[in-house]
């Protein structure tokens, strides 16, 4: 199904991810439609999340039953939360969250717009109070997860061929990762060379969210975009715009 698959550097609970995905989308109930490449990507993404949820190397030590029990319980809880979350197919157009307006990020109605977004998220995702968006500006401190996380764009942060326009729940998670010192890179095949405005358009909602939350400059500098199959590197500046990183010379990323 995926003949070009590369190496996996994390032990992935693929069976658990498949069962969870199947419980939610009933792919084994279909009689005439084969599993698609994008569905396989979703299962692999879910497996990777479960692996990270269980710790850096949950399978290194199998001799401690109590540690295995803790990891298993934590994984089950995470899977159950995902299974109960609304699927993309269940969200109709009239359920779309309030738009993120990059041009009006500092408008007079900013406070009411932010409240609308928070209320929308809590209505659709009751468990979001475990990470209180209204208090996320005070985030920071030690983080015991990975130091860097990379994401694809299409079929990962947004639908295939679409843009990151309005997804405040996901934007808040990325914001919190940056506030906790994690480096984030969006690695995409979209190749606009160093035309930053085209990349900014694809990520307009996410960048607008960072601006609305006043993401500090030192956290902005931990957000990267790697375009054109890792040929063009850009970094987020304190102005919430993407800027090319020089390739050669002192500080160049290719030297």
């Amino acid at each position: 199904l995926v003949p070009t698959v590369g190496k996996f550097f994390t032990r992935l609970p693929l069976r658990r991810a498949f069962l969870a995905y199947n419980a939610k989308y009933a792919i084994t109930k279909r009689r005439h439609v084969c599993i698609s490449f994008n569905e396989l990507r979703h299962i692999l993404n879910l497996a990777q999340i479960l692996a990270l949820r269980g710790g850096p190397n949950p399978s290194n030590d199998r001799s401690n039953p109590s540690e295995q029990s803790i990891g298993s319980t934590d994984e089950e809880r995470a899977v159950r939360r995902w299974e109960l979350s609304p699927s993309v197919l269940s969200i109709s157009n009239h359920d779309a969250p309030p738009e993120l307006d990059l041009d009006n990020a500092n408008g007079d109605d900013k406070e009411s717009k932010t409240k609308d977004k928070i209320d929308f998220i809590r209505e659709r995702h009751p468990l979001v109070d475990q990470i209180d968006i209204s208090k996320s500006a005070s985030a920071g401190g030690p983080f015991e997860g990975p130091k860097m996380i990379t994401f694809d764009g299409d079929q990962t942060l947004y639908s295939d061929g679409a843009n990151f326009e309005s997804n405040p729940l996901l934007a808040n998670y990325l914001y919190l990762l940056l506030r906790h010192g994690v480096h984030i890179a969006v690695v995409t095949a979209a190749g606009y060379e160093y035309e930053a405005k085209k990349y900014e358009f694809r990520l307009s909602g996410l960048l607008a969210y960072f601006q609305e939350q006043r993401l500090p400059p030192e956290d902005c500098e931990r957000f990267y975009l790697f375009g054109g199959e890792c040929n063009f590197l850009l970094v987020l500046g304190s102005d919430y715009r993407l800027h090319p990183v020089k390739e050669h010379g002192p500080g160049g990323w290719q030297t």
Side-chain angles (χ1 to χ4, degrees), residues 66-174:
S66 62
E67 289 186 3
Q68 284 184 272
S69 177
I70 293 174
S72 176
T73 302
D74 196 43
E75 179 183 298
E76 290 294 332
R77 188 181 300 113
V79 170
R80 184 61 177 163
R81 186 181 302 129
W82 179 84
E83 290 176 348
L84 293 175
S85 67
S87 67
V88 175
L89 298 178
S90 70
I91 301 176
S92 58
N93 290 335
H94 68 272
D95 276 335
E99 294 184 358
L100 291 172
D101 187 354
L102 184 62
D103 296 325
N104 193 35
N106 296 315
D108 296 335
D109 57 347
K110 173 185 173 183
E111 184 174 346
S112 62
K113 284 185 176 181
T114 301
K115 184 178 183 301
D116 289 343
K117 292 167 193 168
I118 294 173
D119 291 342
F120 172 84
I121 293 170
R122 285 178 173 150
E123 179 182 347
R124 299 295 300 186
H125 303 272
L127 295 174
V128 78
D129 278 327
Q130 295 179 8
I131 302 179
D132 192 343
I133 296 179
S134 65
K135 297 179 181 178
S136 62
S138 62
F143 180 70
E144 298 181 356
K147 300 300 183 183
M148 182 176 184
I149 302 178
T150 64
F151 299 92
D152 192 4
D154 294 270
Q155 290 293 340
T156 302
L157 294 180
Y158 41 80
S159 300
D160 191 22
N163 304 318
F164 197 124
E165 295 176 349
S166 186
N167 190 336
L169 179 62
L170 179 56
N172 184 70
Y173 288 146
L174 298 177

Side-chain angles (χ1 to χ4, degrees), residues 2 21 26 52 112 127 148 222 228 244 249 253:
V2 190
Y21 194 87
L52 293 175
S112 62
L127 295 174
M148 182 176 184
R222 285 194 289 272
W253 65 271

